[in-house]
Amino acid sequence: MQAFEYASPSTLKEAIGMLSSKWGEVDVLAGGTDLLSLMKEYTHTPKKVVNIKGIKELGGITKSGAGLKIGATVTLDELVSNATIKSEYPSLLEAAMGVSSPQIRNMGTVGGDLCQRPRCWYFRQGFGILGQDKNGTSLVPKGENRFHALFPQAPAYYVNASSLAPALIALGAKVQVAGPNGNREVAVADLFVIPKSNSGRELSLAANEIVTSITVPSARGVKNATYEVRQKQALDWPITTASVALKMKGSTVSSASIILGHVGPTPVQAKAAESMLNGKSLTPDLAAEVGKAAAQGAQPLNGTAYKAQLVRTAVKRALLEALKQRA
Ligand SMILES: Cc1cc2nc3c(=O)[nH]c(=O)nc-3n(C[C@H](O)[C@H](O)[C@H](O)COP(=O)(O)OP(=O)(O)OC[C@H]3O[C@@H](n4cnc5c(N)ncnc54)[C@H](O)[C@@H]3O)c2cc1C
């Protein structure tokens, strides 16, 4: 690992002042479960890291009538132990519980989960976020790509790694961000962007901004569920995820949100599938039809066509899981 300076400020203002306006010079360090492995592999070689876990205002989960405010440094273990998450947000609970192992959930934070970098093996081996060769041609479409995108957005073929993102987007969550120019709020869906270059970032954050918290609207009256398809239970990311949130009016769906994870460089909103549910009573047959619609528009790479069936199944099963709930 390349030598680096370490700072552990106790206030947000101090921390922001220590960051650089240029990506790659100074990195935010939360639990370190992703950042340190990138540093060990020389994929990230910051001159300095700024530990944000000592900043009190970034911690804690608070409940209000409007919903939940989750501090960016809340660990995944704190998240899954929270009584409101357990009772009101089963989709978020399922997504966070899927992050194996207990050790990762103890160290990994909610902010870090959203900001973690893609698992793309071209990126992790030093070919840049877009996995390009010296001529600027992506190695992904013609290379080994079975864990890459089903819904690519050229030139990005990697998949967003966050399991929490689809659940948070389906629930209408927002992230609060602080930087040298003050505070701002963005929808979780708008946190993820396609990098402008092979050395660019996949987040709509500036290099000197910090995610401070995530607010999730109340899920009372909203049936919500996540279904993940994994290759194995141990120490890995899902291959495909579906998170759903259904606003109910009696037994009919008044509006639906269906977000697919691990199939595109940003989480994918299955709009056509969502609209099939409006004003309908959800039945197993309808759930299967909606699942089929969610996979439409896929543009598989040579190794990712199998993910279309995983999308159909994940969406159907997430909907059926939500159906069982009392909203
Ligand atoms: C074996 C293993 C299995 C895993 N399985 C899953 C899984 O199934 N699903 C899943 O979603 N994740 C999975 N993860 C990833 C894990 O959830 C993340 O590594 C963890 O949540 C990152 O949090 P952290 O606090 O350790 O982040 P760090 O490693 O400290 O940071 C990660 C990145 O985010 C940036 N960052 C962190 N916090 C902030 C902030 N508040 N503001 C701005 N930037 C910030 C850092 O600069 C860095 O670039 C797995 C990890 C491992 C090692």
Side-chain angles (χ1 to χ4, degrees), residues 150-151 260 270 273 290-298 307-309 311-312:
L150 174 66
F151 295 91
L260 310 175
V290 172
K292 282 183 200 160
Q296 278 165 17
K307 285 193 176 190
Q309 182 55 35
V311 165
R312 292 181 198 112

Side-chain angles (χ1 to χ4, degrees), residues 19-271:
L19 297 176
S20 162
S21 58
K22 207 170 149 208
W23 283 115
E25 293 189 343
V26 185
D27 272 321
V28 170
L29 172 71
T33 58
D34 187 33
L35 181 64
L36 292 185
S37 58
L38 287 163
M39 288 169 68
K40 285 182 198 166
E41 289 156 12
Y42 291 85
T43 310
H44 271 227
T45 50
K47 293 186 189 121
K48 184 173 184 170
V49 300
V50 178
N51 173 21
I52 58 167
K53 287 192 92 175
I55 303 172
K56 280 212 177 82
E57 63 197 278
L58 301 186
I61 303 179
T62 44
K63 189 179 177 183
S64 69
L68 272 195
K69 183 175 176 191
I70 304 167
T73 59
V74 164
T75 64
L76 299 176
D77 186 58
E78 286 175 83
L79 189 73
V80 300
S81 307
N82 180 276
T84 310
I85 295 284
K86 285 182 184 168
S87 61
E88 227 179 279
Y89 303 94
S91 63
L92 203 47
L93 181 70
E94 179 70 17
M97 279 306 293
V99 179
S100 23
S101 59
Q103 288 89 337
I104 300 291
R105 292 199 298 273
N106 273 331
M107 289 302 293
T109 62
V110 175
D113 186 88
L114 290 173
C115 297
Q116 66 178 298
R117 307 223 57 199
R119 304 306 305 172
C120 168
W121 41 47
Y122 298 96
F123 165 61
R124 300 247 160 195
Q125 293 302 314
F127 291 94
I129 185 66
L130 300 173
Q132 293 177 344
D133 65 15
K134 283 189 278 218
N135 304 318
T137 305
S138 177
L139 298 163
V140 183
K142 288 191 178 158
E144 180 52 70
N145 57 32
R146 65 189 182 281
F147 297 130
H148 283 76
L150 174 66
F151 295 91
Q153 295 181 55
Y157 300 99
Y158 60 83
V159 296
N160 179 273
S162 172
S163 291
L164 300 190
L168 288 170
I169 295 170
L171 290 162
K174 293 183 173 160
V175 290
Q176 288 71 46
V177 175
N181 301 324
N183 301 336
R184 62 189 182 97
E185 185 172 69
V186 283
V188 175
D190 297 331
L191 184 62
F192 307 107
V193 294
I194 302 303
K196 291 196 174 71
S197 72
N198 205 26
S199 55
R201 287 290 164 133
E202 64 283 9
L203 295 172
S204 61
L205 292 179
N208 49 9
E209 285 186 316
I210 295 177
V211 172
T212 56
S213 56
I214 296 98
T215 45
V216 197
S218 166
R220 263 174 272 120
V222 181
K223 293 177 187 256
N224 60 92
T226 290
Y227 190 90
E228 295 185 342
V229 184
R230 290 174 171 267
Q231 192 180 33
K232 58 184 192 291
Q233 288 301 316
L235 297 182
D236 214 343
W237 281 252
I239 301 175
T240 296
T241 298
S243 288
V244 303
L246 308 175
K247 283 199 182 113
M248 304 299 293
K249 204 170 185 187
S251 63
T252 56
V253 178
S254 61
S255 75
S257 183
I258 302 176
I259 309 295
L260 310 175
H262 307 98
V263 289
T266 62
V268 175
Q269 184 182 7
K271 285 188 189 157

